[in-house]
Amino acid sequence: MRLPFVEFLIQSTQELDVGPIVKYAALSLFADRFYPSLSRFAQGNDKANWLLQPIRESNLQLFALISIWISSKIHDSCPLPVKCLKFLGDTTIKEQHFTTRDFLEAEVVFLQVLDFEIGTANNAFVFFEELYIQFKGVAKVGELLNFEACMDIMDLVYEKEETSLLHSSRLLAASILVASYVITVPKKKWEFPVLPWVKQGTQS
């Protein structure tokens, strides 16, 4: 059941035209932390909010939008206004119409499920961006690495795998960089020892 909501979140970030850090921080908040904790939180709370009893598809779509909103508040100097998210919700969530008050209430519930721990410094994109900048600084071939292809691979990882259960965000970021190198850099340009380099970087 996780995949449709991850796809909905990714599509919503495209519609809202947010930056990569907002997108992947939202994915980390929703897919890695909120979604896995949701059932346990609802079962352990006899007076759970109506948004969690029952947990409907439309409610999870709302929470996906909430993760983008929270991420935008953390990372954007001018965060997305709630009216933008509500407008998107009105056009994309078919099962139920949510009011502005519902969005505000859903934000509180989202934070409660996360126990108000909303740090996003350990998400895979942060580590990938660090590696990407370092790689371009030490290798000329880094200029050939396609950033958009890297982001496409990261999307696929979130769509196809439970990233939080696979390995650390740092190792995930390194894997994405290596995969992007192999896919986007012409084979005749493979003179840089990318595997030893990322291995050293992830162990530091």
Side-chain angles (χ1 to χ4, degrees):
M1 289 298 293
R2 173 181 176 274
L3 175 59
F5 305 111
V6 170
E7 291 178 335
F8 176 83
L9 194 159
I10 291 173
Q11 181 62 39
S12 297
T13 60
Q14 294 170 350
E15 294 290 336
L16 293 166
D17 195 27
V18 300
I21 184 60
V22 173
K23 173 182 178 179
Y24 293 108
L27 277 167
S28 178
L29 288 171
F30 180 83
D32 294 342
R33 298 171 58 190
F34 177 81
Y35 190 85
S37 303
L38 195 52
S39 295
R40 183 174 66 254
F41 179 86
Q43 291 171 1
N45 192 338
D46 294 335
K47 298 181 179 180
N49 187 275
W50 65 273
L51 290 166
L52 303 179
Q53 292 186 344
I55 302 174
R56 297 186 174 90
E57 176 181 349
S58 57
N59 296 4
L60 287 171
Q61 290 173 325
L62 173 63
F63 285 124
L65 293 179
I66 294 300
S67 71
I68 300 171
W69 192 25
I70 292 173
S71 179
S72 177
K73 290 181 179 182
I74 295 171
H75 295 288
D76 285 338
S77 56
C78 294
L80 291 167
V82 66
K83 65 180 181 182
C84 289
L85 292 132
K86 184 183 180 307
F87 177 81
L88 181 60
D90 289 344
T91 57
T92 57
I93 300 176
K94 305 301 182 183
E95 184 182 319
Q96 186 168 342
H97 174 80
F98 293 106
T99 66
T100 299
R101 183 173 180 176
D102 293 335
F103 273 81
L104 298 174
E105 188 172 351
E107 181 185 26
V108 174
V109 174
F110 191 98
L111 293 172
Q112 288 173 339
V113 172
L114 295 186
D115 199 22
F116 293 89
E117 296 179 2
I118 57 172
T120 61
N122 290 326
N123 77 75
F125 176 77
V126 172
F127 293 123
F128 172 80
E129 191 174 38
E130 292 176 0
L131 281 175
Y132 180 77
I133 293 171
Q134 292 170 14
F135 185 62
K136 291 183 70 174
V138 299
K140 290 183 179 180
V141 74
E143 297 297 330
L144 301 176
L145 195 63
N146 188 302
F147 185 82
E148 292 302 322
C150 298
M151 298 300 93
D152 289 341
I153 292 172
M154 192 171 292
D155 286 355
L156 288 172
V157 169
Y158 270 104
E159 289 175 357
K160 302 299 181 184
E161 301 286 353
E162 294 283 0
T163 55
S164 59
L165 300 180
L166 281 176
H167 34 55
S168 72
S169 295
R170 190 178 293 276
L171 289 176
L172 180 63
S175 301
I176 291 169
L177 187 138
V178 172
S180 304
Y181 178 88
V182 172
I183 292 171
T184 66
V185 176
K187 192 171 183 179
K188 62 183 178 181
K189 299 284 188 179
W190 288 3
E191 75 276 4
F192 185 81
V194 63
L195 283 174
W197 182 80
V198 296
K199 184 177 180 180
Q200 181 182 8
T202 53
Q203 290 177 342
S204 60

